Amino acid sequence: SYIWMIEGYVISGATSNTYVVPTTNAQNSGTYSCKEVRASITSPTSNGFGTSALAETPTLSSSSSTFEVGSSSAVPLTCSSTSVGTSDYYSWFKDSVKIDGEYASELSLPADSSSLGGYECQAEVGTVSSSRSNSVTVTATVATPTITASGSATSYEIKGSPVTLTCSSTSGDGTYAWENANGDSLSTSKEYAISTSDNTGAGMYYCKVTVSGVASSKSSGYSLSATVATPTITASGSATSYEIKGSPVTLTCSSTSGDGTYAWENANGDSLSTSKEYAISTSDNTGAGMYYCKVTVSGVASSKSSGYSLSATVATPAITATDTSYVIGGSAVTLTCTSQSGTGDYVWKKDQTPQNGATNQELVLSATDNASAGSYSCGVTVSTVSSQDSAAYSVSARVAKPSISSTDDSMAIQGVSVTLTCTSTSDSSGAGTYQWKLGSTVQTGDKQNYIVASSDRSNLGSYTCAVTVSNVASPFSDPKIITEKLCSPPTISFGLPNPPSKIAHLASYTVSCNSGYSIVGPRTITCSEGVLGTLPKCLVLVVSGSPKQYSLNGADLVMSCDYSGSIEPTFIQWFHISSPSALSPTPDEILIQEGAYTSNAQRSTLTIKSPTASSDNGNYKCTVSVEGADTLVHEVPVAVRAVRVAQGSTPSITETTVTTSQLTVTCVVEADVAPDFVSWYRIANSAALSIPVQASSPTITTSTDSKSYAVSATFSNVLEGTYRCDTTFTDNRSPSASFTAVVGSITAEACSFAALGTRATLTCYLHASSPAKAVAFAHGISEELPGTLATYDGVNKRHTGNVQFDVSDASKAGDYTCTFTMATDAKISKTIRLNTRGAVITSARATGGALNVLSGDTISLTCSVADGAKSISWIKDSAKLTPQQYQIVSTTAGNGVITKQVISVDTSSATFGNYNCQGVFYSSDCPHSSEFSAPSGVQVTQVDAKATVSGSGGVAEGESFTFTCTYANVAGYTKIYNKWYYGDQAIPDGFVYFSDGTIKYPGSFTTQKINSDTEFQSLYIISSVKSPAEEKFHCEVTYDFIVIDSPPHLTTLY
């Protein structure tokens, strides 16, 4: 028998002198030797015979090795070799360079430029590599482009909208080449703009495109033609007609394609003009008709325009007249019809009725009666064209104003009557109807003559008359006055010695007339009747002067006394009602000025300087003494009224600083009577600061002599300015008084807001006419904060103070007092409320605000708000997240506010960054919203935690071998562990088993830390290698629930 060995190992069962080497496994290659056993004697080992395994060269094929750039179809390559089994694989090469990671029998290539090149494959059978396959070259084509035009244009209008051609290929964009029908190169852009300035843009266009270095075929031609925009005709003044002999009309032919050569024609096709404009003659109606035009631009003719119609009209005539009315019995009126279109045939109408035989330009109206009165119009026909009727022209008839003549202009009562006659030129026969008036009273009678009876003095007076002829009434005549016939000269008796030695106040005198006059016998006439006929005036002494005088707030009182009489007075004196003694002039208090006696008149003037209500109120009187006559007296009532502002609760209220929030002042009124009411006003805006205090109000205090009245008022929230106390009296003589308050007031927002971890700023403003010298802030009674004063704003009278401090915790919240110290050391304060809110953002795996995350994991973030928020929003890298970018896991809320919210975010390359949460605070005592964020966010960073396996490529039987799995330690993951795999079989205890349960490879695990805490290694140690084979081992690392698998490690066990 025989013993066969390979590489010194006995081949079990091989005892024949012939051994067939199996080709099923590359492990059967090696050096073979044999021994012969005969009679239990074994021969020496034979010489060695080496064999090696070869793999069949594969065949590379493709159903389509050419692809169109931009298509979605992949390019398939197939490699096949009969030597490749289920545990073998293929290697792929492109342009002789191995393609990493491709081991399958098929290779699918994308349809882009990265796939272009020559491809080969190689069979990997065990440890034996075949020769490379035949080469397959992958090529590409570009889809032939198509040309489109903006607006799908196949033509363009010269000087119209631009046309853009676009070259497009389904293979995508690249570099372009445009050419015309002559092959001239035009552009290298995707779009080519056609100039529409003339017809040179018309023609055929082609394009090509080169994508990823592959050029397309030339596109189909795209044809463009040029057109000229159909012209339009406009007329000067937009006329659609012209007036014969009126303003000329010019037609203009216009095309948006510009100017060129023109052709005008009429409705008969007659050629009229070659100019852009065509002037229409308006001398007659031959210019009426339809007009057309064409224009040729750059050799391209337009279509004929739409017709433009012109018609001829005659200017509407107007009527002029020698008068708008005529006097019955007077001159005739002539009407003239005139049209700017000239003369022609005329038609006249009266009250819309044509007048037979009235065909001349002029129409003469008769004035014999009122038959010619009415409304006239006319029309004219020129060159067979008739005008419209003129505007109506009204002609009226009137009666001449009459006049009155009389037999006498006066009459004595009970004497001879007077006859009046009314005469008008419109009634020469006197047959008209007459009307007579005495004053405004119509008298009985309608005849031309009227008799004034002398029986009664009431018939004397002013008479007028009017006459009606042919139903037309005249105006009333000028008045005719009939007076009483009086005696002249009369006999006069004064009722005193004649002539009197003294002139007293004459009350009456007696007059008598001779027979034949109105007055017969003596008659007493009172002086109030004045002059009667030629009688002299009454002789009367008169004294008059100023009416009631008022002095407001100490203004001087000036009073006058005026005497009129024919006798010069002896003297004039002034008195005050409180004393019987006449007043005497004093330098500072009383001034008396007495004028000269001229023209039977004399004046005396009394001036009281700066009167006071307590002593100068009351009546003043002047007395005029005339020799031989009674003493004349004139009284002048005087009211002296003064108002002053008295001191209130404020230390001083004139030109001072009010440091309290309230101001109390008293308005003291000294007057002859009590005021109706008192009002306070701030002059700065003329607005009443309080409701007017009525005189009956309990706040009015009256002095014992009822000449002084005190009114107190208290103002809150005093503003700086001038305050005025106004009094109101029934007679409208109302003095007032004022004072100026320099008020130091503070304004500030009722509350401020600061988030925890930020710096708060509190600001308050002093409003005063002078600056403060210091500002300070206090929190409670123990914490004082020095403030900072800004530059004083002298224009707006404002001084700004502020303080800044860190809001480290919620204890900084509360009331702060802002206090300004004035130059007088007066202090003014204002309280400001500071609200605080804080938020904290955390993550269960975050360390020091940093969170390392593996791709594919889910981020969990928690926002906690100690005092609650109305709402919570989430921010990444300063940008607010939308609800679609995260999921709310839970929200804790109560009493309308949120105290906690938990969200999750699925990781991707776009979700790594700095996360923070933001709350919105709102409180009824601080009515404005404020946002606050956590002082620091959570920085989420992606970690690349690859697992790799290392070890030798081969180990002999019986030896031990160590595989090393290296992976990163990712902070924040609480469970990090790894598994080892033999092929796809897990190795839970370090042992690899055969299918029958027997141990194939015994081993053990151990883990060690390297590079401090950042990297770990897991060791898999196989203690004894046996049963030669080629094996694949890999490790798997799990971070919580994220699994990282290493590439397989191939080793050969001999």
Side-chain angles (χ1 to χ4, degrees), residues 694-717:
Q694 300 299 324
S696 59
S697 171
T699 57
I700 295 182
T701 303
T702 305
S703 62
T704 55
D705 59 358
S706 300
K707 300 299 182 182
S708 179
Y709 309 90
V711 182
S712 299
T714 299
F715 307 130
S716 300
N717 301 320

Side-chain angles (χ1 to χ4, degrees), residues 338-356:
T338 305
S339 170
Q340 292 181 356
S341 296
T343 59
D345 299 325
Y346 294 86
V347 175
W348 286 92
K349 295 179 182 178
K350 177 181 182 243
D351 300 328
Q352 301 298 322
T353 301
Q355 302 298 293
N356 294 330

Side-chain angles (χ1 to χ4, degrees), residues 669-737:
V669 184
E670 295 178 344
D672 54 329
V673 293
D676 291 336
F677 56 86
V678 178
S679 300
W680 280 97
Y681 292 88
R682 180 171 177 261
I683 297 178
N685 56 10
S686 297
L689 296 179
S690 64
I691 300 174
V693 180
Q694 300 299 324
S696 59
S697 171
T699 57
I700 295 182
T701 303
T702 305
S703 62
T704 55
D705 59 358
S706 300
K707 300 299 182 182
S708 179
Y709 309 90
V711 182
S712 299
T714 299
F715 307 130
S716 300
N717 301 320
V718 181
L719 298 177
E720 185 165 326
T722 300
Y723 290 79
R724 186 178 74 234
C725 169
D726 280 6
T727 61
T728 300
F729 290 81
T730 303
D731 54 17
N732 294 324
R733 305 291 181 168
S734 304
S736 62

Side-chain angles (χ1 to χ4, degrees), residues 158-171:
I158 294 176
K159 294 186 180 177
S161 300
V163 175
T164 300
L165 301 182
T166 303
C167 186
S168 304
S169 171
T170 57
S171 295

